Each structure stands twice: as C-alpha cells, then as structure tokens.
Amino acid sequence: MKTAEDILVILQNRLPDIELALESGESGQPWIKVPADNIKDVSKILRDDEELRFDTLMCLSGLHYPAEEELGVAYHIHSTSLKHTLALKVRVPAEDPVIPSIEMIWKTADWHEREAYDMVGIRFSDHPDLRRILCPDDWEGFPLRKDYTPQEFYHGVSTGE
Amino acid sequence: MIEAITDTGERREMTINMGPQHPSTHGVLRLELVLDGEVIKDVKPHIGYLHRCFEKYAEEMDDYAKVIPYTDRMDYVAAMNQEHGYIIGVERLLELEVPERVEYIRVIMAELQRIASHLLGIGAFGLDLGAFTPFLYLFTEREKILDIFEKASGARLLYNYMAVAGLMRDVHPEFKEEVADFVKTFRPKIKELDDLLSYNKIFIRRTANIGVVPDKVALNYAASGPVLRGSGVKWDLRKNDPYSIYDRFDFEIPVGSGEMGTLGDCWDRYIVRVREMEQSLRIIEQALDGMPDEGDVMAAIPKRIRPKAGDIYVRTESPRGELGYYIVSDKSASPFRVKARAPSFVHLSMLPAISKGALIADMVAIVGSIDIVLGEVDR
C-alpha cells in the first residue's frame, strides 16, 4: 500500500518531463495534479507499473470552477491487488475544454466521460462515442455548470422555467 | 454462431428496441438491439429516462443535511445504504466522531436493507425467467424488514433516517427483539429459496453459462459488489476498505466458482447474492449483541455543517456494489459538488461487452443478473 507521496515519486521517476504536483485541501484527501495533455501517459503508467497496478477507475467526475473560468476532471483510481487508492485532477480553460480520453486504459471511463461531457461540457478527444448520456441529444447547455440557465422550451413543451 | 436465413437466403440484420417500457428492464431503460435472427450482434443501452438532476439539486441545497432525502431517491430499493454512504462522506469531511449506538443501529439497518434489496433483486430475476412463485415468497420476507423500517423511521421505502453523526430518531423499544426474531425466522427461508429456485433445473439452464463476465473484464469496467464477486474476485469494501464499524464483525465474502457452468455467469452472480444474505444475518446477530442499550442518537448531530475546503471520495458497499460519493466543499454551507458514483451505472455500461452472441431471451437473464436500479443509473 502506497501513499500519494510515494506514488508521486514513482511517477516523477518514470516521467521526468511532466509537471506533476501533489496538492490538498484543508480537509479530505490529497490529489495529484496532472497537465491535461499528459493524462493518458500518466494513466498508462499507473495501470501497468509493477509497483502501482491501478487496475480500476472507480470514479470520474466533471467539475466547473467559475472563479478560475476552468473546467476540471477528478479521477479516483484503486488497485485491487495492492489495495492503494489515488485521486488525480486535471484542469482546462472553460473556453476550450479538451482532455484526452482514457477510455482505452480503463473501459469504464467510456460512460463516465460521456456524463462529464453531458453535464459540464468537457470534450474528451479520441473518445469512441462522445454523445450526451443522461440528457437528450438535442438538449442545450451543460446543466452542472454553475452559470447554467435551463432552456424554457424543449420541442415546444415548457420546462417550467 | 447461429445464422439467420431469410426467404432469399441472404443474411439480414435487424434493429429492435427493448424498452423503455419492457417488464424485464426494471424501470425505464431502452436497449437498442442489433439482431441476426435471435442472436444479438450488438446492444446500445440508452439511459436518462429517470434523470432527476440529483447532483444539481445537491449543489443548490443550503445545508449538507438537506441532500440526504435526495440520496434516498437514487437507489430507492436500498435507500438506507444510499444515506449511509453520503453521511459517512460528510462526517469524514468534518472529521466527526459518531456515537457507538448510532454506528450499531446504522449497520443493522444497512444489512437489513441489503437483505431486502437482494430479496427484490433475486425475486425479480426469477420472475423475469418465468419463476413466479419465489417472488411472492421473497416479498413476504421483505415485507417484514419494511415493517421494522417503518416503525423506526416512519417510512417504508424512502426513509430519511440517518443524519450526520446521528439518526433522525431512536429506534422503537421492541427493535432488538423484532430484528432478532426476523433473523431467526429468515434463516430457514434461504434453504427454502435454494430448493425453490437456486437448484431448480430450469433456472440453472436459463442462467448457467449465460452472460459470462471474466474477472479481467469486470475489473477493467470497474465492476463491484455481487457482479465482481460473481466473477470470482474476493473484493468487498466492508472487508477491504472497512468503513463504519465493519472491521469488528466476523463474516465471509462469498464468491462465484462456476459451480453450474462458467465462472462469472448469471448463476454465479445470483448465488453470490443468496449467500450474502446469510452473511448479512451473521453481521446483524453480532451487531445486536454489541449494540449499547443506552445513548442519545441525536446528541451529536451538528447544528451547522460547514466543512473546511477540500474534497473527499468515499466508497461504501451498497447491495449493488461500490457506491461512491465525491463531495467537494468550498467552505460554504452548500456542497460545491456532489457526484454519485452509482454501481448500476457502471455495470450497465458493461452490457455491450458481455452480451454479444447471446439470444434475446438471454438478454433478459443478463440484465436481471446485474440487478440494476434505474433510479441510480440516471440519478
């Protein structure tokens, strides 16, 4: 079982050119901040490295940070064989939110990424089927953005707004 | 592989919709099936029919505690477990101590709920495959659990019973006696279920070797709960990442073994649920023994919840698998973000990978065996 600090050291040894940082809030769990372009490389090492073996992506959450005008994704992964868990975070500017998909590393990311696209509008490049998942395909806007205002009509039917 | 022959002798594919209103989809789920005769070539699940914006509502509440009733409405057949997961998340953010008596009552409630949920899951699974009788037997037992819940919380389905660092109200005076009574009368019923359904030849023919999930696939799709254990992976959060007071209890983790066919088939997932009910009874018995008789269950409930800035991912073992809550606090009174990681959502995404080559009738068995609740899939 490794802590986030140990894992960061291993990642930095394996990927010296990538800027990784361990961050934490005043309470809760720490996370490793990963530049958007490198998330795929980092994930691959996390999954395949003998010392890490993160075989499962537990959760992938899309977030909107209105103060910084950024969107973000939080990845929570764990290893069933080595029993450790880790949180990763990626932030991208809200006007061009593109993050590489990690569907080919952990298959479960497929639907989670579709949900993050549907709810906060992050576009995952190389995703095999990036469509809305909970809302109808022709819904307008991204409901979990903090500045979201629902449309008044959907196909001529009032939404009650 | 069976090939469909048309009048002209050409092969032909057909797309049909199963659902959104189909009795075996357990709610409103639409499966777009690409068929070659009876054989499924591809399946595309379409979800969202029950989307009620849980996460958006959670952000708009002006109090963390006000989110609790909304969690009930996600997996509405296991509402106690939904509340349990969420309040543990809030308690960890606040670094709160939970009174002993509260912990014990919560565990008893959570395990009773697991049994109630499995009874519904198993009953409906049998029903989908044409076994009508077990469903009625199982519902009689589930009713007894709901009666206990009703006396304790006032509700039969959506309880709003657990509170941050406490409970909404104390249990009724006969609680211990009633639960002990249930444990005693329910145990022989599991044997009855085995005779009625588990080892029924027709049932085995309908479920063995169907919808096989290899362990590698299960892990890559982040399967959890009975679906993962059905594939032979011994993984249960109550043991592997203990929360609440689960580390105090002695119980086994039942896993599938390919007893009737292939490891990870529908029958394996089914039998894991049956065996889990026995283990839940063991936990309940131990919890009844350990539960303190005195203690105010409402004393520690905080008047005002203002966690420090930070975020936490909490996972608990719901009857369907890993129920995760990712809660982000920005120091204000309302959560900045609450994301619910629902096991049914994850398991449903696995459907295309495990049902290619199956027959339409087997699709009913596969969907039943992963035991989805659409309220939780769509949130």
Side-chain angles (χ1 to χ4, degrees):
Chain A
M1 221 166 128
K2 289 189 164 51
T3 62
E5 286 88 356
D6 303 335
I7 295 165
L8 181 68
V9 173
I10 296 173
L11 284 176
Q12 279 168 335
N13 285 337
R14 299 289 305 271
L15 299 163
D17 303 332
I18 296 176
E19 214 179 293
L20 300 169
L22 187 70
E23 296 177 354
S24 63
E26 294 162 28
S27 65
Q29 299 149 330
W31 63 85
I32 292 178
K33 195 170 178 190
V34 181
D37 293 341
N38 304 114
I39 185 68
K40 222 150 110 184
D41 304 326
V42 172
S43 303
K44 208 165 169 354
I45 287 173
L46 287 168
R47 185 191 65 180
D48 296 336
D49 192 283
E50 279 300 303
E51 286 180 272
L52 302 173
R53 281 198 262 164
F54 282 101
D55 48 12
T56 303
L57 173 74
M58 296 187 282
C59 187
L60 185 157
S61 329
L63 292 102
H64 180 213
Y65 302 95
E68 295 95 338
E69 291 183 19
E70 282 182 331
L71 300 181
V73 169
Y75 305 82
H76 291 88
I77 55 179
H78 90 105
S79 161
T80 35
S81 51
L82 302 174
K83 313 260 191 285
H84 44 226
T85 61
L86 183 71
L88 302 171
K89 274 191 192 176
V90 170
R91 299 270 281 255
V92 282
E95 71 259 28
D96 184 27
V98 182
I99 298 177
S101 167
I102 53 160
E103 185 266 348
M104 54 294 284
I105 295 173
W106 292 294
K107 278 278 176 200
T108 186
D110 182 347
W111 278 27
H112 283 300
E113 286 179 350
R114 277 178 66 190
E115 190 185 322
Y117 163 69
D118 189 0
M119 290 293 138
V120 293
I122 296 163
R123 292 196 303 279
F124 293 91
S125 52
D126 302 328
H127 188 286
D129 186 23
L130 195 65
R131 290 178 291 129
R132 284 185 182 269
I133 187 162
L134 296 175
C135 296
D137 286 334
D138 52 358
W139 195 255
E140 291 162 23
F142 302 106
L144 281 183
R145 289 211 185 172
K146 299 283 180 186
D147 53 4
Y148 171 72
T149 38
Q151 61 204 58
E152 282 174 29
F153 290 96
Y154 177 67
H155 289 271
V157 180
S158 166
T159 59
E161 286 303 319
Chain B
M1 184 68 81
I2 305 161
E3 284 189 9
I5 314 279
T6 62
D7 290 346
T8 51
E10 290 164 26
R11 292 184 59 211
R12 168 178 78 157
E13 283 189 352
M14 183 167 57
T15 305
I16 64 160
N17 278 318
M18 192 164 149
Q21 275 98 12
H22 186 281
S24 74
T25 55
H26 297 217
V28 269
L29 162 70
R30 180 159 71 94
L31 299 173
E32 193 182 317
L33 304 178
V34 180
L35 300 171
D36 182 350
E38 278 276 316
V39 181
I40 294 166
K41 289 287 194 182
D42 198 8
V43 51
K44 249 192 204 174
H46 293 271
I47 61 169
Y49 294 93
L50 270 183
H51 182 52
R52 291 145 301 165
C53 326
F54 162 73
E55 292 168 15
K56 190 74 180 172
Y57 274 121
E59 285 175 19
E60 305 209 333
M61 292 297 121
D62 56 4
D63 188 343
Y64 279 76
K66 287 188 183 167
V67 180
I68 299 171
Y70 287 89
T71 65
D72 279 341
R73 283 149 181 81
M74 287 199 299
D75 181 353
Y76 39 73
V77 304
M80 285 287 183
N81 302 84
Q82 307 288 308
E83 296 172 8
H84 201 190
Y86 175 75
I87 52 164
I88 289 175
V90 178
E91 283 160 8
R92 287 202 193 154
L93 264 182
L94 291 166
E95 292 158 15
L96 280 181
E97 284 283 319
V98 183
E100 282 280 294
R101 186 172 153 84
V102 172
E103 289 281 28
Y104 276 96
I105 296 175
R106 280 182 188 174
V107 164
I108 294 170
M109 291 300 187
E111 294 309 312
L112 282 174
Q113 181 77 87
R114 188 181 315 278
I115 295 174
S117 166
H118 282 348
L119 286 174
L120 181 75
I122 291 168
F125 183 37
L127 198 59
D128 289 346
L129 301 178
F132 193 79
T133 318
F135 179 75
L136 299 172
Y137 277 63
L138 299 175
F139 253 56
T140 315
E141 296 307 310
R142 180 170 174 266
E143 200 65 18
K144 294 176 188 163
I145 298 177
L146 298 193
D147 285 343
I148 297 173
F149 285 169
E150 188 180 10
K151 275 195 181 172
S153 71
R156 293 172 60 80
L157 200 66
L158 308 167
Y159 312 103
N160 191 17
Y161 184 59
M162 299 189 189
V164 176
L167 298 168
M168 286 310 232
R169 57 180 72 79
D170 206 340
V171 289
H172 46 290
E174 325 83 74
F175 174 75
K176 263 188 169 176
E177 206 180 302
E178 284 178 4
V179 175
D181 211 42
F182 170 77
V183 172
K184 213 169 83 196
T185 54
F186 182 63
R187 203 166 256 141
K189 301 282 176 186
I190 298 178
K191 169 77 179 57
E192 207 174 270
L193 172 65
D194 279 344
D195 295 341
L196 261 177
L197 193 62
S198 311
Y199 296 101
N200 176 310
K201 262 194 184 151
I202 303 167
F203 180 70
I204 293 171
R205 288 285 286 271
R206 288 294 312 271
T207 54
N209 297 317
I210 306 289
V212 175
V213 186
D215 56 353
K216 284 252 158 48
V217 174
L219 285 171
N220 204 250
Y221 272 96
S224 51
V227 177
L228 182 62
R229 292 192 283 275
S231 300
V233 182
K234 219 174 179 133
W235 180 265
D236 188 316
L237 292 169
R238 291 172 294 171
K239 270 242 194 295
N240 294 97
D241 185 9
Y243 54 94
S244 185
I245 49 167
Y246 277 105
D247 48 353
R248 297 184 196 173
F249 304 118
D250 179 30
F251 64 100
E252 307 283 318
I253 308 175
V255 291
S257 61
E259 197 181 331
M260 291 297 156
T262 318
L263 179 65
D265 60 14
C266 289
W267 194 85
D268 272 350
R269 287 192 284 281
Y270 160 83
I271 203 71
V272 164
R273 292 193 184 94
V274 177
R275 302 285 167 256
E276 259 181 43
M277 294 199 294
E278 289 167 17
Q279 300 306 320
S280 290
L281 290 179
R282 283 178 67 187
I283 298 174
I284 294 170
E285 278 176 330
Q286 294 168 53
L288 283 175
D289 284 340
M291 178 177 143
D293 286 322
E294 295 301 317
D296 188 347
V297 298
M298 288 175 282
I301 301 176
K303 293 269 171 311
R304 185 169 153 275
I305 301 175
R306 284 276 176 105
K308 289 182 229 162
D311 49 316
I312 196 152
Y313 177 77
V314 173
R315 47 185 185 163
T316 55
E317 189 75 29
S318 92
R320 261 149 277 282
E322 175 179 330
L323 170 70
Y325 283 101
Y326 176 54
I327 306 172
V328 183
S329 157
D330 61 352
K331 271 185 179 167
S332 69
S334 46
F336 180 75
R337 177 87 165 90
V338 177
K339 151 98 182 173
R341 182 262 194 222
S344 295
F345 177 83
V346 173
H347 292 153
L348 195 57
S349 77
M350 199 167 66
L351 199 62
I354 62 172
S355 51
K356 277 178 198 149
L359 301 172
I360 302 176
D362 295 338
M363 192 52 153
V364 176
I366 297 170
V367 173
S369 76
I370 57 175
D371 190 18
I372 47 169
V373 167
L374 268 305
E376 178 185 71
V377 173
D378 295 339
R379 283 157 284 144

